[in-house]
């Protein structure tokens, strides 16, 4: 088959890119190794920055998000048994975040693709990229046992951290920067109404805990754990006991308890690939960079990348301009590194360290007190958390 842009991966990056390209009259084909059902039910991110919400609304994808998403104007930090609110909207001239599950965004994007008869293959295998340094790259894959070939002008590698696109760039061209953290998150979904209106990030001597939500009847909670934590050792009672211990506070607030419907362990990693392009291949989202989840930046970065890439491809097709495509990597990496630093900062501050000297944990406590008491420090946290505005 023949298309203008072959897109590898149907996560938020790949699906949104194909939608934004269609709005510009550019044809694309999306291929995905997993099933549609798997993609639509994979529980991951929940926090959308203001710029992500604006991008989805402008692209005509915001209808259900407007109705079901939860608008939050602040977050809370809990340490030394006290809750401290950071009023993000007041500190950022009215910007806010929206809590709306990543899989809901994916469902909205797949529904839009189907509505417009978009070519979207699920359950593909044996994906490989070829002739990326020529002006006629190809993508090979099998689908339902049949070998297929896509002839295209450009390839977008949106296939996440474990995809194959990044590996198609020769090792001597790629530079990677990485940090692996000595802890992970055990996450649960519970059928329980959220007992607070905003997210609570808790630093406790036994470890970090996060209170979040998905809807007026579903609570999302995370606990700092070991990277090799065995989920089988975490009965529902043990999870709740540990959560209640870490959220203990003098105001008597606690998450509401309810049946646990999902449990998983997420490792924590910071990772950046430079450059994010090679010949006619452009990497976007987790294929190019990973952040630890503490800053809630991963999906938002994926959206920012494909927003930039769609504009660059539109300039190429509409005005025969190559400069935006040439500058894609440099442009994206500015935002990527800001988010990398913010995620690293939030992660270090909020997770007690069990293998460093007590000195390090005293520094973390000092930082928490500073961002909770200084307006200048709180503003810096808030403007990064709601997301820096996109350049015009
Ligand atoms: P992915 O979502 O990973 O999509 C890549 C797709 O490519 C997948 O569907 C995969 O199956 C497919 N694929 C892989 N290999 C191939 C192949 N060879 N061929 C074809 N397809 C392939 N981010 C936030 O912004 N806010 C948050 O609050 C937040 N919280 C998080 C909490 C958790 C527990 C986790 C795990 C992540 C969180 N993130 C958060 C990060 C966010 O989920 C990711 O950054 C986001 O999914 C990146 O989107 P993507 O499209 O780049 O990659
Ligand atoms: C959620 C995930 C995050 O990583 C975060 O920082 C805040 C909320 C969530 O899944 O709701």
């Amino acid at each position: 088959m023949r298309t203008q842009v072959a897109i590898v991966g149907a996560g938020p990056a790949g699906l949104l890119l194909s939608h934004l390209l269609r709005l510009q009259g550019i044809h694309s084909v999306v291929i995905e190794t997993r099933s549609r059902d798997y993609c639509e039910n994979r529980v991951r991110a929940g926090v959308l920055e203001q710029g992500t919400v604006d991008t989805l609304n402008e692209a005509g994808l915001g209808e259900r998000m407007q109705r079901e998403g939860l608008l939050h104007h602040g977050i809370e930090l809990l340490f030394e048994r006290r809750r401290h609110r950071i009023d993000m909207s007041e500190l950022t001239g009215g910007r806010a975040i929206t809590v709306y599950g990543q899989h809901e965004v994916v469902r909205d994007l797949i529904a839009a693709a189907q509505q417009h008869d978009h070519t979207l293959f699920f359950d593909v295998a044996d994906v490989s990229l070829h002739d990326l340094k020529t002006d006629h790259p190809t993508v090979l894959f099998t689908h339902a046992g049949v070998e297929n070939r896509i002839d295209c002008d450009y390839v977008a590698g949106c296939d996440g951290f474990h995809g194959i696109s990044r590996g198609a760039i020769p090792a001597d061209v790629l530079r990677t920067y990485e940090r692996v953290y000595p802890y992970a998150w055990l996450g649960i979904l519970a059928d329980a109404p959220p007992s607070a209106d905003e997210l609570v990030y808790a630093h406790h001597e036994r470890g970090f805990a996060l209170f979040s939500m998905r809807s007026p009847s579903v609570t999302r909670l995370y606990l700092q754990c070991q990277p090799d934590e065995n989920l089988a050792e975490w009965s529902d009672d043990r999870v709740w006991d540990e959560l209640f211990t870490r959220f203990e506070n003098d105001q008597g607030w606690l998450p509401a308890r309810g049946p646990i419907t999902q449990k998983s362990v997420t490792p924590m990693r910071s990772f950046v690939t430079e450059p994010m392009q090679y010949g006619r291949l452009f990497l976007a989202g987790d294929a190019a960079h990973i952040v630890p989840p503490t800053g809630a930046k991963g999906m938002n970065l994926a959206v920012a990348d494909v927003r930039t890439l769609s504009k660059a491809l539109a300039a190429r097709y509409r005005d025969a301009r190559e400069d935006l495509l040439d500058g894609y990597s440099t442009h994206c990496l500015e935002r990527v590194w800001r988010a990398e630093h913010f995620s690293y900062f939030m992660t270090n501050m909020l997770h007690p360290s069990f293998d460093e000297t007590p000195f390090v944990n005293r520094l973390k406590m000092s930082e928490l007190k500073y961002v909770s008491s200084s307006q200048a420090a709180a503003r810096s946290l808030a403007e990064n958390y709601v997301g820096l505005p996109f350049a015009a």
Side-chain angles (χ1 to χ4, degrees):
M1 64 195 93
R2 157 90 208 148
T3 188
Q4 288 171 300
V5 183
I7 301 178
V8 186
L15 290 168
L16 180 60
L17 178 63
S18 89
H19 184 90
L20 295 175
L21 291 179
R22 185 184 57 74
L23 294 178
Q24 305 274 0
I26 301 168
H27 190 263
S28 66
V29 170
V30 182
I31 56 171
E32 163 64 49
T33 44
R34 300 286 192 159
S35 68
R36 174 175 177 178
D37 186 60
Y38 182 91
C39 293
E40 289 193 333
N41 291 294
R42 181 168 39 197
V43 177
R44 277 177 147 191
V47 174
L48 309 187
E49 290 178 356
Q50 180 76 59
T52 298
V53 169
D54 294 345
T55 302
L56 294 173
N57 279 332
E58 285 159 18
L61 293 160
E63 200 248 330
R64 199 162 63 92
M65 175 181 70
Q66 297 284 354
R67 232 180 323 120
E68 297 177 16
L70 306 167
L71 186 66
H72 286 196
H73 295 285
I75 57 169
E76 289 191 15
L77 303 178
L78 193 166
F79 55 93
E80 293 184 333
R81 301 182 63 90
R82 291 176 143 265
R83 294 161 70 187
H84 305 262
R85 181 164 191 269
I86 305 225
D87 190 330
M88 292 180 309
S89 292
E90 192 181 282
L91 291 161
T92 60
R95 291 166 75 78
I97 56 146
T98 296
V99 176
Y100 187 65
Q102 174 171 326
H103 65 286
E104 306 290 2
V105 175
V106 165
R107 281 176 195 183
D108 294 344
L109 283 162
I110 292 176
Q114 300 237 304
Q115 196 188 332
H116 294 99
D117 264 343
H118 226 117
T119 317
L120 180 49
F121 291 94
F122 289 101
D123 303 299
V124 307
D126 310 319
V127 180
S128 59
L129 315 183
H130 305 272
D131 303 324
L132 296 168
K133 282 294 241 185
T134 71
D135 58 6
H136 48 81
T138 56
V139 177
L140 303 183
F141 66 100
T142 54
H143 183 247
V146 179
E147 285 181 16
N148 288 275
R149 192 179 87 211
I150 309 177
D151 295 320
C152 55
D153 301 333
Y154 297 97
V155 180
C158 303
D159 48 352
F161 185 65
H162 300 289
I164 51 94
S165 298
R166 192 173 62 250
I169 304 180
D172 60 347
V173 176
L174 267 194
R175 270 161 296 148
T176 57
Y177 302 86
E178 184 167 21
R179 183 180 184 86
V180 177
Y181 298 82
Y183 29 76
W185 282 10
L186 191 165
I188 63 158
L189 277 179
D191 280 338
S195 61
D197 294 336
E198 295 176 342
L199 273 57
V200 182
Y201 288 83
H203 176 114
H204 186 275
E205 60 187 16
R206 290 179 62 83
F208 167 77
L210 170 60
F211 166 86
S212 179
M213 61 201 70
R214 282 293 176 274
S215 73
S217 57
V218 176
T219 303
R220 176 83 166 138
L221 294 147
Y222 297 98
L223 280 173
Q224 175 181 350
C225 64
Q226 296 295 323
D228 57 354
E229 196 77 44
N230 179 5
L231 264 185
E233 290 171 10
W234 285 85
S235 66
D236 292 3
D237 281 342
R238 182 176 172 206
V239 171
W240 286 116
D241 287 348
E242 193 61 34
L243 283 166
F244 290 152
T245 302
R246 294 191 194 180
F247 283 120
E248 248 171 24
N249 60 91
D250 291 339
Q251 289 123 307
W253 169 82
L254 281 180
R257 192 177 169 135
I260 295 178
T261 55
Q262 201 258 5
K263 239 184 238 167
S264 60
V265 172
T266 306
M268 312 263 273
R269 185 193 295 270
S270 300
F271 176 89
V272 182
T273 302
E274 291 185 5
M276 289 169 57
Q277 66 198 79
Y278 172 72
R280 293 279 180 123
L281 169 67
F282 295 85
L283 301 178
D286 279 17
H289 41 71
I290 295 282
V291 286
T294 327
K297 287 282 163 264
M299 178 170 55
N300 294 297
L301 278 182
V303 168
D305 286 353
V306 298
R307 195 185 140 99
T308 302
L309 185 53
S310 68
K311 288 189 178 194
L313 285 166
R316 158 70 183 75
Y317 282 110
R318 200 184 45 228
D319 308 323
R321 271 180 65 181
E322 303 266 357
D323 56 323
L324 295 185
L325 276 178
D326 292 345
Y328 168 75
S329 181
T330 308
H331 182 96
C332 290
L333 284 166
E334 286 286 318
R335 189 179 194 87
V336 167
W337 277 110
R338 179 86 298 281
E340 288 288 342
H341 177 264
F342 178 66
S343 307
Y344 164 89
F345 153 76
M346 288 286 276
T347 301
N348 280 332
M349 175 172 73
L350 283 158
H351 293 72
S353 169
F354 302 120
D355 42 18
E356 283 173 287
T357 62
F359 176 81
V360 172
N361 285 323
R362 283 287 199 273
L363 292 182
K364 293 172 194 270
M365 199 48 67
S366 169
E367 188 118 55
L368 279 164
K369 289 178 182 167
Y370 183 48
V371 295
S372 306
S373 59
S374 149
Q375 218 197 41
R379 176 167 287 127
S380 164
L381 189 153
E383 80 168 356
N384 280 279
Y385 193 86
V386 299
L388 294 164
F390 293 121

